[in-house]
Protein backbone atom coordinates (compact mmCIF):
# COMPACT_ATOMS: atom_id res chain seq x y z
CA UNK A 1 0.00 0.00 0.00
CA UNK A 2 2.85 2.45 0.86
CA UNK A 3 4.62 1.60 -2.41
CA UNK A 4 1.42 2.23 -4.35
CA UNK A 5 0.88 5.51 -2.53
CA UNK A 6 4.41 6.74 -3.30
CA UNK A 7 4.28 5.77 -6.98
CA UNK A 8 0.87 7.42 -7.35
CA UNK A 9 1.70 10.65 -5.62
CA UNK A 10 4.80 11.22 -7.81
CA UNK A 11 2.58 11.58 -10.84
CA UNK A 12 -0.05 14.03 -9.57
CA UNK A 13 0.01 17.72 -8.59
CA UNK A 14 0.21 18.71 -4.93
CA UNK A 15 -3.37 19.98 -5.02
CA UNK A 16 -4.63 16.48 -5.82
CA UNK A 17 -2.11 14.59 -3.72
CA UNK A 18 -3.87 14.96 -0.37
CA UNK A 19 -7.21 14.12 -1.95
CA UNK A 20 -5.70 10.88 -3.25
CA UNK A 21 -4.19 10.09 0.14
CA UNK A 22 -7.56 10.65 1.81
CA UNK A 23 -9.33 8.37 -0.67
CA UNK A 24 -6.78 5.58 -0.23
CA UNK A 25 -6.93 5.88 3.56
CA UNK A 26 -10.72 5.75 3.50
CA UNK A 27 -10.68 2.63 1.36
CA UNK A 28 -8.33 0.96 3.81
CA UNK A 29 -10.64 1.71 6.73
CA UNK A 30 -13.96 0.76 5.10
CA UNK A 31 -13.43 -3.01 5.42
CA UNK A 32 -12.96 -2.72 9.19
CA UNK A 33 -15.55 -0.01 9.84
CA UNK A 34 -18.60 -2.25 10.18
CA UNK A 35 -17.08 -4.48 12.87
CA UNK A 36 -15.49 -1.55 14.66
CA UNK A 37 -18.85 0.22 14.94
CA UNK A 38 -20.89 -2.72 16.22
CA UNK A 39 -22.99 -1.85 19.24
CA UNK A 40 -23.12 -4.17 22.22
CA UNK A 41 -26.36 -5.75 20.96
CA UNK A 42 -25.07 -6.34 17.42
CA UNK A 43 -23.17 -8.97 15.48
CA UNK A 44 -22.22 -9.34 11.85
CA UNK A 45 -23.55 -11.89 9.40
CA UNK A 46 -23.41 -12.59 5.67
CA UNK A 47 -26.06 -12.44 2.97
CA UNK A 48 -25.92 -12.43 -0.82
CA UNK A 49 -22.11 -12.43 -0.61
CA UNK A 50 -21.99 -9.27 1.50
CA UNK A 51 -21.49 -8.34 5.14
CA UNK A 52 -24.64 -7.53 7.10
CA UNK A 53 -25.30 -6.29 10.63
CA UNK A 54 -27.80 -7.86 13.03
CA UNK A 55 -29.35 -5.79 15.83
CA UNK A 56 -30.84 -7.93 18.62
CA UNK A 57 -33.84 -6.43 20.40
CA UNK A 58 -34.82 -9.14 22.88
CA UNK A 59 -33.56 -12.42 24.27
CA UNK A 60 -33.59 -15.79 22.54
CA UNK A 61 -36.36 -18.38 22.81
CA UNK A 62 -36.09 -22.16 22.69
CA UNK A 63 -39.62 -23.38 22.03
CA UNK A 64 -40.94 -26.35 23.99
CA UNK A 65 -44.42 -27.53 23.01
CA UNK A 66 -46.87 -29.51 25.21
CA UNK A 67 -46.23 -32.87 23.55
CA UNK A 68 -42.44 -32.56 23.44
CA UNK A 69 -40.04 -34.27 25.85
CA UNK A 70 -36.84 -32.29 25.45
CA UNK A 71 -35.24 -33.70 28.60
CA UNK A 72 -35.99 -37.35 27.64
CA UNK A 73 -37.42 -38.30 31.05
CA UNK A 74 -40.48 -39.97 29.59
CA UNK A 75 -42.84 -37.15 30.60
CA UNK A 76 -44.43 -34.82 28.08
CA UNK A 77 -43.72 -31.15 28.72
CA UNK A 78 -47.38 -30.50 29.47
CA UNK A 79 -47.05 -32.73 32.55
CA UNK A 80 -43.43 -31.99 33.47
CA UNK A 81 -43.00 -28.66 35.31
CA UNK A 82 -39.26 -29.25 35.71
CA UNK A 83 -38.81 -29.14 31.94
CA UNK A 84 -40.08 -25.55 32.02
CA UNK A 85 -37.46 -24.32 34.49
CA UNK A 86 -34.50 -24.03 32.14
CA UNK A 87 -34.30 -23.52 28.37
CA UNK A 88 -33.32 -26.56 26.31
CA UNK A 89 -32.01 -25.38 22.95
CA UNK A 90 -31.87 -28.54 20.89
CA UNK A 91 -30.57 -28.95 17.34
CA UNK A 92 -32.47 -31.29 14.98
CA UNK A 93 -35.69 -30.97 17.02
CA UNK A 94 -38.14 -28.50 15.48
CA UNK A 95 -41.47 -27.27 16.86
CA UNK A 96 -44.45 -26.68 14.58
CA UNK A 97 -44.70 -23.00 15.60
CA UNK A 98 -42.29 -20.14 16.19
CA UNK A 99 -42.40 -17.89 19.30
CA UNK A 100 -45.20 -15.78 17.77
CA UNK A 101 -47.40 -18.86 17.41
CA UNK A 102 -47.03 -18.66 13.64
CA UNK A 103 -46.50 -21.70 11.42
CA UNK A 104 -42.79 -22.59 11.33
CA UNK A 105 -42.74 -22.90 7.54
CA UNK A 106 -43.33 -19.13 7.35
CA UNK A 107 -40.47 -18.26 9.72
CA UNK A 108 -37.24 -16.68 8.46
CA UNK A 109 -34.12 -18.85 8.63
CA UNK A 110 -30.81 -17.90 10.22
CA UNK A 111 -28.12 -20.29 9.02
CA UNK A 112 -25.55 -20.67 11.80
CA UNK A 113 -22.25 -21.86 10.35
CA UNK A 114 -20.37 -24.10 12.78
CA UNK A 115 -16.69 -24.95 12.07
CA UNK A 116 -16.67 -28.73 12.61
CA UNK A 117 -13.13 -29.09 11.26
CA UNK A 118 -9.89 -28.79 13.21
CA UNK A 119 -7.12 -26.88 11.45
CA UNK A 120 -4.24 -28.48 13.38
CA UNK A 121 -5.79 -31.12 14.02
CA UNK A 122 -5.97 -30.41 17.74
CA UNK A 123 -5.94 -33.43 20.07
CA UNK A 124 -5.31 -31.54 23.31
CA UNK A 125 -8.50 -31.75 25.44
CA UNK A 126 -7.36 -28.72 27.44
CA UNK A 127 -7.96 -26.54 24.37
CA UNK A 128 -11.75 -26.97 24.59
CA UNK A 129 -13.65 -23.97 25.92
CA UNK A 130 -14.78 -23.80 29.54
CA UNK A 131 -18.44 -23.21 30.32
CA UNK A 132 -19.29 -19.53 30.78
CA UNK A 133 -19.99 -18.81 34.47
CA UNK A 134 -19.55 -22.47 35.33
CA UNK A 135 -22.32 -23.82 33.11
CA UNK A 136 -25.16 -26.20 34.01
CA UNK A 137 -24.67 -29.06 36.48
CA UNK A 138 -24.26 -31.72 33.75
CA UNK A 139 -22.75 -29.54 31.03
CA UNK A 140 -19.56 -30.71 29.33
CA UNK A 141 -16.88 -28.05 29.75
CA UNK A 142 -13.14 -27.63 29.38
CA UNK A 143 -11.01 -30.82 29.35
CA UNK A 144 -14.08 -33.07 29.78
CA UNK A 145 -15.63 -31.49 26.70
CA UNK A 146 -12.32 -31.79 24.83
CA UNK A 147 -11.98 -35.47 25.67
CA UNK A 148 -15.54 -36.16 24.55
CA UNK A 149 -15.03 -34.33 21.25
CA UNK A 150 -11.75 -36.13 20.55
CA UNK A 151 -13.44 -39.46 21.27
CA UNK A 152 -16.34 -38.63 18.94
CA UNK A 153 -14.59 -36.75 16.13
CA UNK A 154 -10.87 -37.44 16.51
CA UNK A 155 -9.97 -33.84 17.37
CA UNK A 156 -11.32 -30.69 18.99
CA UNK A 157 -13.25 -28.81 16.29
CA UNK A 158 -12.64 -25.07 15.98
CA UNK A 159 -16.28 -24.72 17.07
CA UNK A 160 -15.43 -25.54 20.68
CA UNK A 161 -11.90 -24.22 21.08
CA UNK A 162 -11.36 -21.54 23.68
CA UNK A 163 -8.83 -20.02 21.27
CA UNK A 164 -9.38 -20.85 17.62
CA UNK A 165 -6.60 -21.29 15.11
CA UNK A 166 -5.58 -17.81 13.83
CA UNK A 167 -6.67 -18.84 10.33
CA UNK A 168 -10.32 -18.93 11.49
CA UNK A 169 -12.50 -16.00 12.51
CA UNK A 170 -16.12 -16.16 13.66
CA UNK A 171 -18.87 -13.60 14.27
CA UNK A 172 -19.74 -15.10 17.64
CA UNK A 173 -18.51 -14.59 20.31
CA UNK A 174 -19.32 -10.96 19.50
CA UNK A 175 -16.39 -8.52 19.51
CA UNK A 176 -17.80 -6.44 22.38
CA UNK A 177 -17.75 -9.45 24.74
CA UNK A 178 -15.33 -12.02 23.28
CA UNK A 179 -16.00 -14.78 25.81
CA UNK A 180 -15.97 -18.29 24.33
CA UNK A 181 -19.37 -19.95 24.58
CA UNK A 182 -21.32 -16.69 24.52
CA UNK A 183 -22.83 -14.22 22.07
CA UNK A 184 -25.08 -11.23 22.63
CA UNK A 185 -28.69 -12.20 23.43
CA UNK A 186 -27.92 -15.89 22.67
CA UNK A 187 -28.22 -18.93 24.88
CA UNK A 188 -24.86 -19.89 26.41
CA UNK A 189 -25.42 -23.64 26.07
CA UNK A 190 -26.99 -25.98 23.52
CA UNK A 191 -28.09 -29.61 23.58
CA UNK A 192 -26.25 -31.90 21.13
CA UNK A 193 -28.05 -35.14 22.06
CA UNK A 194 -30.18 -35.44 18.93
CA UNK A 195 -27.34 -34.26 16.69
CA UNK A 196 -24.93 -36.90 17.96
CA UNK A 197 -27.59 -39.58 17.52
CA UNK A 198 -28.38 -38.43 13.98
CA UNK A 199 -24.66 -38.49 13.13
CA UNK A 200 -24.43 -42.08 14.35
CA UNK A 201 -22.10 -41.12 17.19
CA UNK A 202 -24.38 -42.23 20.02
CA UNK A 203 -27.52 -44.26 20.63
CA UNK A 204 -31.00 -42.74 21.11
CA UNK A 205 -30.84 -39.88 23.63
CA UNK A 206 -31.71 -40.61 27.25
CA UNK A 207 -30.76 -37.14 28.53
CA UNK A 208 -29.64 -33.82 27.07
CA UNK A 209 -25.95 -33.39 26.20
CA UNK A 210 -25.31 -29.76 27.10
CA UNK A 211 -22.21 -28.01 25.75
CA UNK A 212 -21.27 -24.32 25.49
CA UNK A 213 -22.64 -22.44 22.49
CA UNK A 214 -20.09 -23.04 19.70
CA UNK A 215 -18.02 -20.42 17.92
CA UNK A 216 -20.02 -19.59 14.80
CA UNK A 217 -20.87 -17.22 11.96
CA UNK A 218 -24.18 -16.40 10.25
CA UNK A 219 -25.81 -16.40 6.81
CA UNK A 220 -29.27 -15.15 5.82
CA UNK A 221 -31.18 -15.56 2.58
CA UNK A 222 -30.85 -12.88 -0.09
CA UNK A 223 -34.44 -11.79 0.46
CA UNK A 224 -33.72 -11.21 4.16
CA UNK A 225 -30.55 -9.09 3.93
CA UNK A 226 -32.53 -5.98 4.86
CA UNK A 227 -35.23 -7.01 7.32
CA UNK A 228 -36.96 -5.34 10.22
CA UNK A 229 -36.92 -7.01 13.64
CA UNK A 230 -38.45 -10.50 13.40
CA UNK A 231 -38.03 -13.96 14.88
CA UNK A 232 -35.57 -16.23 13.04
CA UNK A 233 -35.25 -19.99 13.33
CA UNK A 234 -31.66 -20.98 14.02
CA UNK A 235 -30.64 -23.65 11.51
CA UNK A 236 -27.20 -25.05 12.40
CA UNK A 237 -24.98 -25.79 9.40
CA UNK A 238 -22.00 -28.02 10.13
CA UNK A 239 -19.09 -26.88 7.93
CA UNK A 240 -16.75 -29.81 7.40
CA UNK A 241 -13.83 -28.22 5.52
CA UNK A 242 -11.68 -25.20 6.27
CA UNK A 243 -11.75 -24.16 2.59
CA UNK A 244 -15.47 -23.34 2.88
CA UNK A 245 -15.13 -21.16 5.97
CA UNK A 246 -15.83 -17.45 5.30
CA UNK A 247 -13.19 -14.85 5.98
CA UNK A 248 -14.05 -11.94 8.25
CA UNK A 249 -14.52 -9.56 5.32
CA UNK A 250 -16.53 -12.08 3.30
CA UNK A 251 -14.05 -12.10 0.42
CA UNK A 252 -14.13 -15.90 0.24
CA UNK A 253 -15.92 -18.88 1.74
CA UNK A 254 -19.65 -19.39 2.30
CA UNK A 255 -21.24 -15.94 2.41
CA UNK A 256 -24.59 -16.64 0.76
CA UNK A 257 -27.36 -19.23 0.99
CA UNK A 258 -26.58 -20.33 -2.56
CA UNK A 259 -22.94 -21.09 -1.70
CA UNK A 260 -24.15 -22.89 1.41
CA UNK A 261 -26.59 -25.02 -0.61
CA UNK A 262 -23.82 -25.93 -3.06
CA UNK A 263 -21.61 -27.06 -0.17
CA UNK A 264 -24.48 -29.11 1.26
CA UNK A 265 -25.18 -30.75 -2.10
CA UNK A 266 -21.48 -31.68 -2.39
CA UNK A 267 -21.45 -33.25 1.09
CA UNK A 268 -19.21 -30.55 2.54
CA UNK A 269 -21.85 -29.16 4.90
CA UNK A 270 -24.91 -30.43 6.76
CA UNK A 271 -27.96 -28.34 7.67
CA UNK A 272 -30.50 -29.18 10.36
CA UNK A 273 -33.33 -27.35 12.11
CA UNK A 274 -33.70 -26.53 15.79
CA UNK A 275 -36.13 -25.21 18.39
CA UNK A 276 -33.83 -22.19 18.91
CA UNK A 277 -35.01 -18.72 17.80
CA UNK A 278 -33.39 -15.28 17.82
CA UNK A 279 -35.06 -11.87 17.45
CA UNK A 280 -33.19 -9.23 15.45
CA UNK A 281 -33.17 -6.92 12.44
CA UNK A 282 -30.71 -7.22 9.55
CA UNK A 283 -29.15 -4.49 7.41
CA UNK A 284 -26.28 -4.26 4.94
CA UNK A 285 -23.25 -3.32 7.03
CA UNK A 286 -22.04 -0.56 4.70
CA UNK A 287 -25.36 1.24 5.06
CA UNK A 288 -25.48 0.72 8.80
CA UNK A 289 -22.03 2.25 9.17
CA UNK A 290 -22.84 5.14 6.86
CA UNK A 291 -26.23 6.28 8.07
CA UNK A 292 -27.95 3.71 10.34
CA UNK A 293 -30.91 4.14 7.96
CA UNK A 294 -33.84 1.74 7.98
CA UNK A 295 -34.14 0.02 4.63
CA UNK A 296 -37.00 -1.71 2.85
CA UNK A 297 -36.97 -5.41 1.93
CA UNK A 298 -34.50 -6.61 -0.67
CA UNK A 299 -35.60 -9.52 -2.81
CA UNK A 300 -32.08 -10.40 -3.85
CA UNK A 301 -30.28 -10.34 -7.19
CA UNK A 302 -32.01 -11.82 -10.25
CA UNK A 303 -30.93 -15.35 -10.91
CA UNK A 304 -29.77 -16.04 -7.38
CA UNK A 305 -31.73 -18.71 -5.48
CA UNK A 306 -33.76 -17.09 -2.73
CA UNK A 307 -37.05 -18.08 -1.14
CA UNK A 308 -40.45 -17.90 -2.78
CA UNK A 309 -42.86 -16.17 -0.47
CA UNK A 310 -42.13 -15.87 3.21
CA UNK A 311 -39.89 -18.58 4.58
CA UNK A 312 -40.70 -21.17 1.89
CA UNK A 313 -37.47 -22.81 0.85
CA UNK A 314 -36.76 -23.79 -2.73
CA UNK A 315 -33.88 -26.30 -2.54
CA UNK A 316 -30.95 -25.40 -4.78
CA UNK A 317 -29.96 -29.06 -4.59
CA UNK A 318 -30.79 -31.85 -2.22
CA UNK A 319 -28.52 -31.73 0.82
CA UNK A 320 -27.23 -34.88 2.49
CA UNK A 321 -28.99 -36.04 5.63
CA UNK A 322 -27.02 -36.43 8.82
CA UNK A 323 -26.98 -40.18 8.32
CA UNK A 324 -25.50 -39.74 4.82
CA UNK A 325 -22.88 -37.23 5.90
CA UNK A 326 -19.13 -37.70 6.02
CA UNK A 327 -18.71 -36.37 9.57
CA UNK A 328 -16.36 -38.79 11.23
CA UNK A 329 -12.83 -38.47 12.51
CA UNK A 330 -10.86 -35.54 11.14
Amino acid sequence: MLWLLRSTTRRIPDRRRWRTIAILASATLVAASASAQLASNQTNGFGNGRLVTFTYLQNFDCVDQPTMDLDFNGKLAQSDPNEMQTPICQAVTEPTEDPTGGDLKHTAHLYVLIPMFSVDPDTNPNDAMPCPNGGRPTELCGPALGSALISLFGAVPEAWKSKMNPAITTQCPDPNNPVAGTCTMHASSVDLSETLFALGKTGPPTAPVFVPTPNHSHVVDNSRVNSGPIWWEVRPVLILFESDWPTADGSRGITSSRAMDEAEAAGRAIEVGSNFFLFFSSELSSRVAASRAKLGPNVGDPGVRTRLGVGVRVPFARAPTLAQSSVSNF
Side-chain angles (χ1 to χ4, degrees), residues 14 27 41-42 49 64 77 84 115 133 207 215 259 277 289 295:
D14 285 345
N41 66 329
Q42 292 180 325
D64 195 349
M84 299 293 102
N133 297 319
N215 304 315
F277 297 83
L295 304 176

Side-chain angles (χ1 to χ4, degrees), residues 213-235:
T213 294
N215 304 315
H216 62 272
S217 291
H218 315 96
V219 169
V220 295
D221 286 304
N222 297 344
S223 60
R224 300 288 189 177
V225 166
N226 292 306
S227 294
I230 55 174
W231 283 104
W232 306 69
E233 180 196 357
V234 170
R235 296 188 63 83

Side-chain angles (χ1 to χ4, degrees), residues 209-262:
V209 178
F210 291 118
V211 298
T213 294
N215 304 315
H216 62 272
S217 291
H218 315 96
V219 169
V220 295
D221 286 304
N222 297 344
S223 60
R224 300 288 189 177
V225 166
N226 292 306
S227 294
I230 55 174
W231 283 104
W232 306 69
E233 180 196 357
V234 170
R235 296 188 63 83
V237 182
L238 310 183
I239 305 301
L240 308 183
F241 295 94
E242 180 185 354
S243 57
D244 285 317
W245 193 255
T247 55
D249 63 359
S251 60
R252 58 183 172 84
I254 296 175
T255 58
S256 70
S257 54
R258 178 171 183 168
M260 181 191 74
D261 283 339
E262 290 173 343

Side-chain angles (χ1 to χ4, degrees), residues 89-277:
C89 303
Q90 197 171 89
V92 178
T93 299
E94 292 184 277
T96 58
E97 298 174 342
D98 66 22
T100 70
D103 193 318
L104 188 66
K105 65 186 178 184
H106 300 308
T107 305
H109 286 181
L110 172 66
Y111 306 107
V112 172
L113 307 185
I114 300 173
M116 286 300 294
F117 53 85
S118 185
V119 174
D120 304 317
D122 187 341
T123 56
N124 183 354
N126 295 317
D127 289 342
M129 64 176 64
C131 290
N133 297 319
R136 305 187 190 205
T138 61
E139 188 169 351
L140 287 172
C141 313
L145 172 63
S147 295
L149 291 168
I150 292 167
S151 175
L152 292 165
F153 301 107
V156 179
E158 302 298 324
W160 282 285
K161 288 186 182 180
S162 55
K163 293 183 179 179
M164 291 178 293
N165 187 285
I168 303 301
T169 57
T170 58
Q171 293 160 341
C172 279
D174 57 285
N176 288 299
N177 185 43
V179 177
T182 72
C183 200
T184 182
M185 306 309 290
H186 288 47
S188 294
S189 68
V190 294
D191 174 17
L192 291 188
S193 58
E194 291 284 7
T195 303
L196 296 174
F197 174 52
L199 290 170
K201 299 295 183 181
T202 63
T206 58
V209 178
F210 291 118
V211 298
T213 294
N215 304 315
H216 62 272
S217 291
H218 315 96
V219 169
V220 295
D221 286 304
N222 297 344
S223 60
R224 300 288 189 177
V225 166
N226 292 306
S227 294
I230 55 174
W231 283 104
W232 306 69
E233 180 196 357
V234 170
R235 296 188 63 83
V237 182
L238 310 183
I239 305 301
L240 308 183
F241 295 94
E242 180 185 354
S243 57
D244 285 317
W245 193 255
T247 55
D249 63 359
S251 60
R252 58 183 172 84
I254 296 175
T255 58
S256 70
S257 54
R258 178 171 183 168
M260 181 191 74
D261 283 339
E262 290 173 343
E264 291 173 9
R268 305 193 313 270
I270 306 161
E271 176 187 337
V272 298
S274 78
N275 71 330
F276 189 1
F277 297 83

